[in-house]
Amino acid sequence: MKRTLLFLMAIIAMSIQINAVTHIYRGRSTYTSDIIATWDGRHLYRGNSTYSSDILYTWDGKYLYSGRSTYSSDIIATWDGKYMYDGRSTYSSDIVCTWDGKHVYGGRSTYSSDILYTITNNHIYRGRSTYTSDILYTTNGHIPVPVLLTVM
């Protein structure tokens, strides 16, 4: 009986995790009407949808693909944990932005004057700011930085 109960609880926990989605909201809002994208852990969807026809991007942990494709010809960005590169390239000349764990910088720079976004506490802020008036987007969970950057 104990094993059966543990097995059922594990299945329920897995199904909750599988069905969990994260939303990206416009500004400070967390209203359903302000959802601009939905993340399921692999795909970014348009609006509050999880229909395959609404897939904007597919993420595999290294590459960001256009739509639901995972063909190498559809790679729009490559991620190495610090740099986001244009397409499938990993040349320093193709660095689109740099991530330091809190800030997104334009290109290969880490100068404070080159900060494009600050990401902290489920908010994406304009530039170096953490003022509520500078919140561009709000999430209700974790979304990988490269996927977030596609919205910005």
Side-chain angles (χ1 to χ4, degrees):
M1 181 69 166
K2 210 176 204 182
R3 279 189 186 176
T4 305
L5 183 60
L6 287 173
F7 178 73
L8 288 174
M9 288 174 60
I11 289 176
I12 291 169
M14 285 180 3
S15 68
I16 289 171
Q17 188 172 10
I18 290 170
N19 294 326
V21 295
T22 302
H23 295 106
I24 302 172
Y25 301 87
R26 185 177 335 281
R28 271 178 61 180
S29 175
T30 54
Y31 292 117
T32 305
S33 61
D34 289 323
I35 294 173
I36 61 168
T38 301
W39 171 248
D40 71 0
R42 180 162 168 81
H43 300 102
L44 186 71
Y45 300 85
R46 179 181 356 269
N48 194 16
S49 173
T50 54
Y51 292 118
S52 62
S53 61
D54 289 326
I55 294 173
L56 299 170
Y57 303 102
T58 299
W59 171 247
D60 71 3
K62 179 175 182 174
Y63 298 113
L64 189 65
Y65 302 86
S66 179
R68 59 188 278 194
S69 172
T70 54
Y71 293 120
S72 61
S73 60
D74 292 324
I75 294 172
I76 60 171
T78 301
W79 178 251
D80 71 4
K82 180 175 182 175
Y83 299 114
M84 186 172 190
Y85 301 86
D86 187 33
R88 195 171 176 182
S89 173
T90 54
Y91 292 118
S92 61
S93 60
D94 291 326
I95 293 173
V96 176
C97 63
T98 302
W99 169 247
D100 71 0
K102 183 175 182 179
H103 300 104
V104 177
Y105 301 83
R108 194 172 181 197
S109 173
T110 54
Y111 291 117
S112 62
S113 60
D114 292 330
I115 294 174
L116 302 174
Y117 306 103
T118 300
I119 302 174
T120 185
N121 300 326
N122 292 339
H123 295 296
I124 298 93
Y125 298 87
R126 177 181 298 112
R128 193 174 173 191
S129 174
T130 55
Y131 292 117
T132 56
S133 61
D134 289 326
I135 295 173
L136 298 171
Y137 303 101
T138 299
T139 67
N140 62 347
H142 175 73
I143 301 175
V145 172
V147 176
L148 278 175
L149 290 174
T150 63
V151 175
M152 299 181 247

